[in-house]
Amino acid sequence: MTIQVFGHKSPDTDSTGSPVAWAWYLSEIRGEDAKPVLLGQPNTEAAFMLERWGIDMPEIVEDVAEGQAVYIVDTNNPAELPASINKADIRGIVDHHKLTGGLETKGPIEIRVEPLACTATILYKMMGKDIAQAPTSVKGAMLTAILSDTLEFRSPTTTQEDEAIAHGLAKDLGVDIKAYAEEMFAAKSDVSAFSDAELLRMDSKEYEVDGTQLRVSVLETTAPSQILDRKEDLKAAMPKVASEDGAHEVLLFVVDILKEEATLIVPNDRVKQIAEASFDVSVDGDTVVLPGVMSRKKQIMPVLKA
Amino acid sequence: MTIQVFGHKSPDTDSTGSPVAWAWYLSEIRGEDAKPVLLGQPNTEAAFMLERWGIDMPEIVEDVAEGQAVYIVDTNNPAELPASINKADIRGIVDHHKLTGGLETKGPIEIRVEPLACTATILYKMMGKDIAQAPTSVKGAMLTAILSDTLEFRSPTTTQEDEAIAHGLAKDLGVDIKAYAEEMFAAKSDVSAFSDAELLRMDSKEYEVDGTQLRVSVLETTAPSQILDRKEDLKAAMPKVASEDGAHEVLLFVVDILKEEATLIVPNDRVKQIAEASFDVSVDGDTVVLPGVMSRKKQIMPVLKA
């Protein structure tokens, strides 16, 4: 049976590139039969990566069949995985997020989690010397994933290992990191094709904070005005998205990659209270700028109070 | 704050030796402040190991304080860990069991699970070249843990890596594996000091199988008669142990390490039905011999039907 390698349901660059890289490793180095699949449409940066490195668009699957062999990368959270995930034959997990609980396996499997910025960095370490055999497309996907997750080393999640491995891959590929990251971020910043609801869900995760269900959306961009110009429409779309997704509120953080700050959209009093309680700011109007805030994992989730 | 390194609540040789080895590594190689602790009395083989390699008996702790830094080895099951484990600051997990779910962390941590026979084998791999700096006591603890978990390579859980690493450690230490394993197993087999209830709980795990709560006890021994001679008393103690522990039944498997078979004690009709449904045998009397059965993980748990 072919092992399906996948990330989470909102395929960003890491959740698209890491399955591509790991399916290569499982197939070509470990001699297993594996292929990357996606659990949703890749975001614009991930689509750029596939195009740039000549990688076939992976098949998109909705759910997994009972007994389907799967290898999970970039999440360990059942809420971000297919509904039937615990009926699948989970062969392994490689991730860099907090342990959520809820995934169960029948026997011991390979699990590797490290507090690094990017799953692809962990995969690179696991590949060891075999990375030398990887085709350009695999190396390119891994480099793109690391530059994406670290926001070209700006994010506070960045570690020395992420940075060193990205530099090694870039050198090997003959890629100028600065110029390439600009191209990537331009692709990510072009959100004109997305509806307001799609934008609110694109890079979002659901959390319960103090009994309040929040959809925490983070849009990383080098062109924040492209999103903020749609502020009124986005605010108007929030109640419907929240209600459809079983959340009380949608928190939309627009991260300016170059200025290294986030703008939180504040559609109502409850979000205003959340913002003031969480970020030590006073909110005046329907946006608030949070200097230095770039990482949901490190700077938003740990401080949210509802 | 000192990181407490511990295994599960029924400290066998791996759950005693691996904390000793990993606390050494965290302290001496990674420069952290770590010490091994135990969550209960070590079994006789683990106590033999501590004595044989001149290792101080680790402190035994009942529970963990909120915010206590801990590193968990040899389990990822909250039921086998202190009641307050999810209030602790879990720094890492190294294990070789199935993923149970239920442990949660605030941020991403180091997690490494591999389908190998012994946690110490994984720790050895993680230590890399630094194992050369380990004192004899640490190497001795790791060797003992691997020989214990593999039953001197007889258990079907044994992998080539477990075996190769054990041979490497033995050579390094100048230990004759056959003679040393005999000493270990003799220590494990001397259960004369334990009450019937202690014996039933000593190396046992709780499982729910088809809605039935089972305490599955596995006693590995080279002197099965020492346990089987107490059969009537053990049968009499089972209902009380089961009721105190919230289980419907206690299944006691006496594993004869040398004959490579298990004897299951059958105190009543329900256990008889479980035995016949699970192991394709017909039970006549109050014991049944299961040829080749040595591993709870590989040969008992996957087939149990209640």
Side-chain angles (χ1 to χ4, degrees):
Chain A
M1 182 191 293
T2 303
I3 302 169
Q4 294 185 347
V5 186
F6 51 69
H8 51 70
K9 276 185 195 168
S10 303
D12 54 14
T13 306
D14 193 20
S15 260
T16 304
S18 284
V20 167
W22 198 239
W24 166 79
Y25 181 77
L26 291 180
S27 301
E28 300 302 321
I29 304 296
R30 289 201 184 164
E32 303 188 61
D33 176 19
K35 68 169 186 181
V37 303
L38 297 178
L39 303 184
Q41 284 291 339
N43 74 11
T44 50
E45 187 185 70
F48 161 82
M49 171 188 71
L50 295 173
E51 174 78 22
R52 169 66 179 79
W53 296 100
I55 300 163
D56 289 339
M57 170 77 176
E59 183 191 346
I60 296 177
V61 301
E62 281 288 315
D63 200 357
V64 288
E66 186 166 346
Q68 170 67 49
V70 306
Y71 203 114
I72 302 167
V73 295
D74 196 27
T75 181
N76 70 81
N77 185 347
E80 300 175 2
L81 288 163
S84 309
I85 191 66
N86 273 328
K87 291 181 185 156
D89 174 15
I90 305 174
R91 298 290 180 89
I93 302 168
V94 179
D95 189 22
H96 64 130
H97 294 92
K98 70 182 183 126
L99 193 58
T100 305
L103 281 188
E104 294 169 31
T105 63
K106 288 185 188 66
I109 62 165
E110 176 177 63
I111 303 177
R112 183 113 154 206
V113 181
E114 292 191 41
L116 302 178
C118 183
T119 307
T121 307
I122 307 170
L123 298 181
Y124 183 100
K125 292 171 68 181
M126 292 174 77
M127 290 179 186
K129 289 175 185 164
D130 297 317
I131 187 71
Q133 297 181 50
T136 299
S137 56
V138 163
K139 291 178 185 167
M142 293 171 83
L143 171 63
T144 314
I146 300 174
L147 293 175
S148 173
D149 270 2
T150 62
L151 298 172
E152 197 193 351
F153 318 130
R154 292 177 181 89
S155 169
T157 58
T158 309
T159 68
Q160 287 187 334
E161 286 187 300
D162 295 294
E163 196 157 352
I165 288 169
H167 280 295
L169 286 165
K171 194 175 167 196
D172 189 5
L173 292 162
V175 164
D176 178 301
I177 283 182
K178 188 166 183 301
Y180 181 60
E182 261 178 46
E183 278 187 81
M184 285 171 48
F185 298 151
K188 175 150 55 185
S189 302
D190 180 9
V191 296
S192 53
F194 297 100
S195 71
D196 298 316
E198 284 170 337
L199 219 48
L200 293 175
R201 292 189 175 111
M202 195 156 61
D203 185 354
S204 72
K205 301 199 176 193
E206 288 172 37
Y207 295 91
E208 185 183 312
V209 179
D210 305 330
T212 303
Q213 295 291 336
L214 299 173
R215 181 168 273 283
V216 180
S217 180
V218 174
L219 293 177
E220 300 157 348
T221 178
T222 50
S225 65
Q226 223 196 85
I227 299 163
L228 293 172
D229 286 350
R230 292 165 63 175
K231 186 178 63 179
E232 294 306 324
D233 293 335
L234 288 166
K235 278 161 56 184
M238 283 178 180
K240 186 152 184 284
V241 166
S243 124
E244 283 177 6
D245 297 354
H248 294 104
E249 298 292 346
V250 177
L251 303 186
L252 174 58
F253 295 84
V254 181
V255 169
D256 186 327
I257 299 172
L258 302 179
K259 286 176 80 174
E260 304 194 7
E261 66 182 28
T263 300
L264 170 63
I265 295 185
V266 182
N268 59 36
D269 270 359
R270 178 146 66 175
V271 173
K272 181 180 171 179
Q273 282 160 18
I274 292 171
E276 294 188 335
S278 307
F279 296 103
D280 195 23
V281 290
S282 70
V283 178
D284 184 24
D286 60 2
T287 60
V288 59
V289 173
L290 307 170
V293 170
M294 309 186 79
S295 164
R296 174 166 44 205
K297 194 196 277 184
K298 283 244 183 193
Q299 296 169 301
I300 297 174
M301 290 319 308
V303 304
L304 272 191
K305 293 176 198 69
Chain B
M1 181 192 294
T2 303
I3 303 169
Q4 295 184 346
V5 186
F6 51 69
H8 52 70
K9 277 184 195 168
S10 302
D12 54 14
T13 305
D14 192 21
S15 259
T16 304
S18 283
V20 167
W22 197 240
W24 166 77
Y25 182 77
L26 291 179
S27 302
E28 299 302 322
I29 303 297
R30 290 202 183 162
E32 304 188 61
D33 177 19
K35 67 170 186 179
V37 303
L38 298 178
L39 303 184
Q41 284 291 339
N43 74 11
T44 49
E45 189 185 68
F48 161 82
M49 172 188 69
L50 295 173
E51 173 78 22
R52 169 67 179 77
W53 297 99
I55 300 163
D56 289 339
M57 171 77 177
E59 183 192 345
I60 296 176
V61 301
E62 281 287 315
D63 200 357
V64 288
E66 186 165 348
Q68 169 67 49
V70 306
Y71 203 115
I72 301 167
V73 295
D74 195 27
T75 182
N76 70 81
N77 185 348
E80 299 175 2
L81 288 162
S84 309
I85 190 67
N86 273 327
K87 292 181 185 156
D89 174 14
I90 304 174
R91 299 289 181 90
I93 302 169
V94 179
D95 189 21
H96 64 130
H97 294 93
K98 70 184 184 123
L99 193 59
T100 305
L103 281 188
E104 293 170 31
T105 63
K106 289 186 188 65
I109 61 165
E110 174 177 64
I111 303 177
R112 182 112 155 209
V113 181
E114 293 191 41
L116 301 178
C118 184
T119 307
T121 307
I122 307 169
L123 298 180
Y124 183 100
K125 291 171 69 182
M126 294 174 77
M127 289 180 187
K129 288 176 186 162
D130 296 317
I131 186 70
Q133 298 181 49
T136 299
S137 57
V138 163
K139 291 178 185 168
M142 295 172 82
L143 171 63
T144 314
I146 301 174
L147 293 176
S148 173
D149 270 3
T150 62
L151 298 173
E152 198 193 351
F153 317 130
R154 291 178 181 90
S155 169
T157 58
T158 309
T159 69
Q160 286 187 334
E161 286 186 300
D162 295 293
E163 195 158 351
I165 288 169
H167 280 296
L169 286 165
K171 193 176 167 194
D172 189 4
L173 291 163
V175 164
D176 178 298
I177 284 183
K178 189 165 182 301
Y180 180 60
E182 259 178 48
E183 277 187 82
M184 287 170 49
F185 298 152
K188 174 150 56 184
S189 303
D190 180 9
V191 295
S192 52
F194 296 102
S195 72
D196 298 315
E198 284 170 338
L199 218 49
L200 292 176
R201 291 188 175 113
M202 195 155 63
D203 184 353
S204 71
K205 302 199 175 191
E206 287 172 38
Y207 296 91
E208 185 182 311
V209 179
D210 306 328
T212 302
Q213 296 292 334
L214 299 174
R215 181 168 273 282
V216 181
S217 179
V218 173
L219 293 176
E220 300 157 347
T221 179
T222 49
S225 64
Q226 222 195 87
I227 299 162
L228 293 173
D229 286 352
R230 290 164 63 175
K231 187 178 64 179
E232 293 307 323
D233 292 336
L234 289 165
K235 279 161 57 182
M238 284 177 179
K240 185 151 185 285
V241 166
S243 123
E244 282 177 9
D245 296 355
H248 294 104
E249 298 292 345
V250 177
L251 303 186
L252 174 59
F253 296 83
V254 181
V255 169
D256 185 327
I257 300 173
L258 303 178
K259 286 175 82 174
E260 303 194 9
E261 66 181 27
T263 300
L264 171 62
I265 295 184
V266 183
N268 59 35
D269 268 0
R270 179 146 65 175
V271 173
K272 180 181 172 179
Q273 282 160 19
I274 292 171
E276 294 188 336
S278 307
F279 296 103
D280 195 24
V281 289
S282 72
V283 177
D284 184 25
D286 60 1
T287 60
V288 58
V289 174
L290 307 169
V293 170
M294 309 186 78
S295 164
R296 175 167 42 206
K297 194 197 279 182
K298 283 247 182 188
Q299 297 170 299
I300 296 174
M301 289 321 304
V303 303
L304 271 192
K305 294 176 197 70

